Amino acid sequence: MKNKFFKKCLEIAVIVIGNAILAFGICAFITPHGIIVGGASGLGLIVKQITGIPLSLVVYVINIIMFIAGYFFLGKSFAAKTLLSTIIFPTFLTIFENTPGVTHLTNDLLLSSVYAGIFVGGGLGLVLRMGASTGGMDIPPLF
């Protein structure tokens, strides 16, 4: 019982850390340089560019819609793990978007691309390794 509880807590911690790393990579290296990215974040960046609506708000809306679809198509177990990411990822985006200095870490586009790949890939990898999703456009391919 105690071991199972510890395993669940570790799983949740890794999902949260993975989402934080992913959001940092997007806010620090992708957004400042206008690097194209896919998924909910990419759609959010397009909407932000056209309308000025904050990236995190667009990602929240897309994540909620995809979470509901994922619940019906992929079941309760998947939905329980993904619910955390559906809420925490846009929250980390909001935090990093509003943290001074995060968007000015480097002016080099190539270096930003490399760091974005490391942070986004690493963060997403941690979340997926725990059997969860970051929500958004990660869900439809799993159908």
Side-chain angles (χ1 to χ4, degrees):
M1 179 74 173
K2 192 175 189 179
N3 191 21
K4 201 173 197 179
F5 175 74
F6 176 74
K7 186 178 175 187
K8 269 295 181 209
C9 288
L10 182 63
E11 195 174 272
I12 289 169
V14 171
I15 291 170
V16 170
I17 291 167
N19 277 287
I21 292 169
L22 174 61
F24 178 79
I26 289 172
C27 291
F29 303 110
I30 290 176
T31 305
H33 298 285
I35 298 173
I36 303 299
V37 66
S41 300
L43 292 172
L45 289 170
I46 292 169
V47 171
K48 179 182 177 182
Q49 187 74 8
I50 294 170
T51 66
I53 297 172
L55 170 64
S56 54
L57 182 62
V58 176
V59 172
Y60 268 122
V61 171
I62 293 170
N63 279 0
I64 290 169
I65 292 168
M66 289 296 114
F67 172 77
I68 292 168
Y71 175 80
F72 287 113
F73 287 104
L74 300 171
K76 292 179 185 178
S77 174
F78 174 82
K81 290 180 181 179
T82 302
L83 178 61
L84 177 61
S85 292
T86 299
I87 295 167
I88 202 79
F89 175 61
T91 303
F92 279 127
L93 282 175
T94 301
I95 292 167
F96 291 129
E97 278 179 324
N98 297 309
T99 302
V102 168
T103 59
H104 304 303
L105 294 178
T106 181
N107 291 326
D108 188 321
L109 181 60
L110 180 60
L111 194 56
S112 283
S113 298
V114 171
Y115 284 149
I118 291 168
F119 280 91
V120 171
L124 185 57
L126 286 173
V127 173
L128 294 176
R129 181 81 172 136
M130 294 297 107
S133 164
T134 57
M137 302 310 286
D138 295 349
I139 295 174
L142 297 174
F143 291 163

